[in-house]
């Protein structure tokens, strides 16, 4: 069984297109967990209009924010393989198959993505070209190359990572990636599995210039490292 965890917040403009691209690759026994962070637009009406029993909507009643919203979705996921999804991208054919094939030999996989404008017009660059992708804990400590919308993770590894810290000084994808790098095996595969849409309201900033100061970025990575230490994840790796 596969689970897709999608974080939703005021995503009426693109959510229908994203859900269509996801559902087309899932089997009858798979599920899409949509966690809503208090949307005030028509997002939930659009999701409900699909009438698809594979879609389950859960409300985020904890702290607001991307980390908390994804954490809420992940707690409800039942699949052995869990995919993460933003609300505004589009999955490309073969994504699920490529990730499942990679997960046969690793605990977390990240695939490449084609960066596009708001109308899905491809830009002349892929995500891996922007990030200069590198595997390993140290290579990702001060620059996150784990992009959530391109990730899938085994349930066994997810159990080790949950709950995702609510501190938005660093993001959920960085946390899941670093835990997997320390406690298991990660893989970056060249398969282009997503159109990553860049627009003003993007939930993800990967592939776009950072709006955070260098001080804030360094502070976030220090907090991430402290959290890994506090949760004994680094020490468990050393045993």
């Amino acid at each position: 069984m596969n689970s897709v965890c999608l974080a939703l917040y005021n995503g009426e403009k693109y959510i229908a297109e994203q859900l269509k691209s996801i559902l087309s690759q899932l089997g009858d026994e798979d599920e899409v967990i949509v966690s809503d962070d208090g949307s005030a637009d028509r997002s939930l009406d659009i999701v409900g209009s699909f009438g698809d029993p594979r879609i389950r909507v859960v409300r985020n009643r904890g702290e607001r924010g991307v980390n908390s919203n994804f954490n809420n979705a992940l707690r409800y996921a039942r699949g052995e393989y869990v995919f993460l999804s933003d609300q505004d991208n589009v999955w490309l054919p073969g994504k699920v198959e490529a990730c499942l094939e990679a997960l046969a030999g690793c605990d977390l996989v990240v695939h490449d993505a084609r960066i596009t404008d708001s109308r899905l017009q491809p830009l002349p660059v892929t995500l891996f070209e922007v990030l200069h992708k590198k595997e390993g804990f140290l290579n990702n400590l001060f620059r996150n190359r784990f992009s959530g919308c391109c990730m899938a993770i085994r349930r066994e590894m997810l159990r080790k990572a949950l709950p995702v810290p609510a501190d938005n000084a660093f993001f959920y994808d960085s946390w899941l990636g670093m835990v997997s790098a320390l406690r298991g095996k990660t893989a970056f595969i060249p398969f282009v599995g997503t159109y990553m849409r860049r627009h003003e309201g993007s939930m993800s900033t990967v592939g776009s210039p950072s709006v955070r100061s260098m001080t804030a970025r360094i502070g976030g990575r220090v907090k991430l490292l402290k959290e890994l230490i506090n949760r004994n994840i680094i020490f468990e790796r050393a045993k």
Side-chain angles (χ1 to χ4, degrees), residues 182-220:
L182 285 167
R183 301 287 295 275
K185 181 180 179 182
T186 64
F188 287 76
I189 61 174
F191 182 81
V192 177
T194 298
Y195 275 153
M196 180 180 281
R197 197 189 314 250
R198 302 293 83 191
H199 59 93
E200 290 183 359
S202 295
M203 292 176 65
S204 170
T205 59
V206 177
S208 300
S210 177
V211 297
R212 304 173 72 197
S213 69
M214 180 61 71
T215 300
R217 279 182 278 168
I218 292 175

Side-chain angles (χ1 to χ4, degrees), residues 70-220:
F70 267 110
N71 198 45
N72 186 55
L74 289 166
R75 3 183 336 251
Y76 287 96
R78 299 171 296 174
E80 286 303 311
Y81 303 99
V82 180
F83 294 75
L84 292 97
S85 175
D86 288 345
Q87 65 189 13
D88 46 9
N89 298 320
V90 170
W91 285 18
L92 297 176
K95 170 187 165 89
V96 170
E97 182 180 0
C99 287
L100 293 179
E101 182 178 344
L103 285 170
C106 69
D107 300 289
L108 179 145
V109 62
V110 185
H111 63 70
D112 203 355
R114 172 63 62 182
I115 300 174
T116 77
D117 64 17
S118 62
R119 298 170 296 170
L120 291 185
Q121 295 300 307
L123 303 178
V125 66
T126 70
L127 179 66
F128 283 4
E129 290 170 346
V130 171
L131 295 181
H132 306 292
K133 61 117 178 150
K134 295 180 181 178
E135 297 186 29
F137 173 76
L138 292 177
N139 286 329
N140 288 279
L141 181 56
F142 286 104
R143 184 179 186 187
N144 177 37
R145 295 174 172 88
F146 294 103
S147 180
C149 68
C150 299
M151 285 170 51
I153 186 171
R154 283 179 169 268
R155 167 154 299 282
E156 182 179 357
M157 182 55 62
L158 186 60
R159 291 192 187 102
K160 298 175 183 179
L162 291 181
V164 175
D167 192 338
N168 287 312
F170 55 88
F171 291 112
Y172 71 96
D173 47 9
S174 180
W175 173 258
L176 294 176
M178 296 297 265
V179 171
S180 298
L182 285 167
R183 301 287 295 275
K185 181 180 179 182
T186 64
F188 287 76
I189 61 174
F191 182 81
V192 177
T194 298
Y195 275 153
M196 180 180 281
R197 197 189 314 250
R198 302 293 83 191
H199 59 93
E200 290 183 359
S202 295
M203 292 176 65
S204 170
T205 59
V206 177
S208 300
S210 177
V211 297
R212 304 173 72 197
S213 69
M214 180 61 71
T215 300
R217 279 182 278 168
I218 292 175

